[in-house]
Amino acid sequence: PAVSGGDSFAVSSKTVYNTMLEQHPDLLAVLCLPVPMHVPPQWGPDGEASARWCELPMFSRLGDHFASYFNRLHIEQTQEFPDAPRITQEQAAAVDAVEEVSRIPELRLDMPLRPGDLQLVNNLSVAHARTAYSDDDAPGRGRLLLRMHAAFAGSPELPRGYTAIFGSSTAGTYRG
């Protein structure tokens, strides 16, 4: 564990969506339309670099499947690219509102992570983050968190904008 802080928390994306629908329906509508999103560096089979940003809705529904992709940092990082659309004041206010809703204590699950803990999260249905932390500065005494992307053949179809991030938006494909 960290010397202080570093607790993890998670909140259902559907709960955030429903709360936004009740409290900020005008701002929610903005996030059901594509917003600019940074794409982490990826390379194709021939070594070509992928696009560094895409546009996708923060909240979407395709058939019976609800999906959400929220990462404030990835939205803000798009502004480093001159060819990316500028984030509008309305989009910025909507992102602020989602972050505010996701921090309502009654909606979220707070959990400290201890050595040996495993946290499994579906990023398309659960938003998660951690609190600020400070580590022990002694060599070899800091935290080590490993991240793994697990994919499965029963994956649902996603809006096309997700292809830039996951490589495919087609149902039943492994993504990552």
Side-chain angles (χ1 to χ4, degrees), residues 39 42 160-170 173-176:
V39 176
Q42 300 177 44
R160 283 193 328 228
Y162 284 79
T163 300
I165 295 172
F166 297 118
S168 175
S169 61
T170 305
T173 58
Y174 289 97
R175 300 185 181 114

Side-chain angles (χ1 to χ4, degrees), residues 53-158:
W53 63 271
C54 66
E55 290 185 277
L56 58 101
M58 185 180 297
F59 298 107
S60 60
R61 182 175 297 282
L62 223 56
D64 292 336
H65 182 70
F66 173 86
S68 176
Y69 190 85
F70 176 68
N71 187 318
R72 181 185 200 109
L73 180 61
H74 284 184
I75 292 169
E76 291 172 350
Q77 286 175 330
T78 63
Q79 303 308 281
E80 297 172 14
F81 303 104
D83 61 333
R86 300 298 92 187
I87 296 168
T88 67
Q89 288 181 338
E90 195 174 31
Q91 288 170 327
V95 169
D96 288 344
V98 166
E99 201 162 83
E100 177 185 308
V101 166
S102 69
R103 293 184 185 279
I104 296 173
E106 297 80 21
L107 301 183
R108 70 185 220 188
L109 172 66
D110 292 8
M111 63 197 100
L113 293 177
R114 295 185 175 83
D117 282 353
L118 175 67
Q119 181 184 54
L120 297 174
V121 177
N122 180 340
N123 286 329
L124 298 176
S125 60
V126 175
H128 62 94
R130 66 164 170 72
T131 61
Y133 68 94
S134 62
D135 261 341
D136 188 337
D137 290 336
R141 304 257 327 196
R143 290 184 356 152
L144 174 62
L145 297 175
L146 302 176
R147 180 176 298 189
M148 177 185 78
H149 178 95
F152 66 105
S155 60
E157 182 178 6
L158 297 172

